[in-house]
Amino acid sequence: MAAATEALPGAVRPAQGAGADPRIVPRRIVALAQDRTIAYAETGTGPDLVAIHGTLMCLEDVWLGPVPALAEHFRVVAVDRPGHGFSRRTRGAAADIWDQAASIREAVQRLGLRRPVILGHSFGGAVALAYGMLHPEEIAGVVALAPICFPEPRLEQVLFGPRALPFGGDALSALLAASSDRMLLPLLWNAMFFPEAMPPRFARDFPFDLAGRPAQITAEGEDAGWLWPALTRSVLGYPSLHRPVRILGGSADLVVNTTLHGQRAAGMIPGARFERLPDAGHMLHHFQAAAVVRAACAVQACA
């Protein structure tokens, strides 16, 4: 699609600055209504698949993980979730999984994708399931990797929630970015990979400065603040999700309890299949690409 020069709803243009840092995957931008945008990168050929990253991440997470393997079977469109990477959202808006699913769906329509597989990791898995509940007739199905599926107290609500406060939140984010975040965020990024070590390629090529900038951490606080009501809505909607669903979870995941979330949600979604990956942690998509591809191909075959 040719680049558009005006940021009108539906316009597609290159992301400014997306190629300045060699670690940052070149993106294009879909301009949506209400000054929102979705940034994306595309690779591969075949049926359409949309890949959605999780918390403290941007699309480079999936790009450095399963996307190369998925691109052998699918046309993969990896997106920055609203408020993350180069995707823009209004402060205080589009924070819950349902709003984010709606924005990504609007971009999918603008790009002309047809019945895509919607694949998401962690928080992105919750967004993918919400997308499936909102528009089941438009998708082939859902693949959720280590998804958070039920309301529960979360560490990110404590760490990032205060930064989303309408008064003083932005100043707090700026202050912490210049102080404690320099130690906190690397600890969290490394802990996500337990029991494995962070892969050398991820450590070298992931744009930590982009994912850890104050505006995105504020967005993480907004996401965390809306998680309970949004997941309550999801719990009520799981029995209505009549599309192929595959959920993968790691037996050693310390970030999202596999049994309490993925396995339990699969039991509520008609026909959903759950696969527990032995000894895999939360970032299973970086070590179990073959399992991710199998799940996506199974969903596409059932569509």
Side-chain angles (χ1 to χ4, degrees):
M1 184 179 295
T5 57
E6 297 181 5
L8 299 173
V12 178
R13 64 186 190 280
Q16 294 183 352
D21 186 331
R23 300 172 302 164
I24 295 178
V25 176
R27 291 158 164 81
R28 298 181 70 79
I29 299 288
V30 182
L32 307 178
Q34 300 176 336
D35 199 34
R36 295 170 296 129
T37 66
I38 291 292
Y40 73 96
E42 179 181 333
T43 186
T45 58
D48 294 329
L49 181 147
V50 177
I52 308 171
H53 65 83
T55 299
L56 289 178
M57 295 291 163
C58 46
L59 68 79
E60 277 79 7
D61 173 46
V62 291
W63 200 266
L64 295 170
V67 164
L70 287 165
E72 296 179 9
H73 304 269
F74 296 90
R75 173 195 178 191
V76 181
V77 175
V79 300
D80 287 326
R81 285 196 291 109
H84 298 68
F86 287 81
S87 292
R88 186 173 64 240
R89 78 187 192 204
T90 304
R91 175 81 159 87
D96 81 15
I97 59 176
W98 298 86
D99 289 332
Q100 294 189 35
S103 290
I104 293 170
R105 181 253 185 175
E106 186 177 345
V108 164
Q109 290 190 311
R110 304 286 191 188
L111 292 172
L113 305 188
R114 299 185 60 184
R115 294 182 64 79
V117 173
I118 309 298
L119 180 148
H121 171 251
S122 192
F123 191 101
V127 174
L129 289 167
Y131 193 130
M133 286 182 276
L134 284 171
H135 302 287
E137 72 286 352
E138 297 180 3
I139 66 172
V142 175
V143 177
L145 311 174
I148 180 166
C149 300
F150 296 88
E152 67 176 6
R154 299 289 303 173
L155 180 62
E156 52 265 37
Q157 292 167 334
V158 176
L159 294 178
F160 307 131
R163 310 185 195 206
L165 295 172
F167 302 103
D170 293 329
L172 179 62
S173 286
L175 174 64
L176 295 177
S179 55
S180 61
D181 280 357
R182 296 178 180 179
M183 294 181 294
L184 172 65
L185 295 181
L187 286 173
L188 295 175
W189 281 315
N190 278 281
M192 285 182 186
F193 284 92
F194 181 87
E196 304 281 354
M198 182 184 290
R201 185 187 177 203
F202 188 94
R204 182 186 68 241
D205 293 342
F206 184 78
F208 295 101
D209 291 345
L210 177 64
R213 71 195 190 282
Q216 178 158 325
I217 302 304
T218 297
E220 304 290 7
E222 292 175 334
D223 290 353
W226 282 100
L227 198 55
W228 287 1
L231 287 178
T232 299
R233 178 180 173 185
S234 293
V235 172
L236 297 174
Y238 291 146
S240 70
L241 180 46
H242 293 281
R243 295 304 300 156
V245 174
R246 297 292 185 274
I247 300 178
L248 275 59
S251 66
D253 190 339
L254 297 184
V255 178
V256 175
N257 185 293
T258 295
T259 301
L260 295 180
H261 288 273
Q263 183 174 359
R264 189 156 59 118
M268 297 178 65
I269 298 170
R273 295 187 181 180
F274 171 77
E275 181 178 359
R276 184 188 302 272
L277 301 176
D279 303 320
H282 190 61
M283 302 296 276
L284 57 89
H285 52 302
H286 285 273
F287 307 98
Q288 302 278 352
V292 174
V293 171
R294 284 197 306 271
C297 289
V299 163
Q300 180 61 40
C302 292

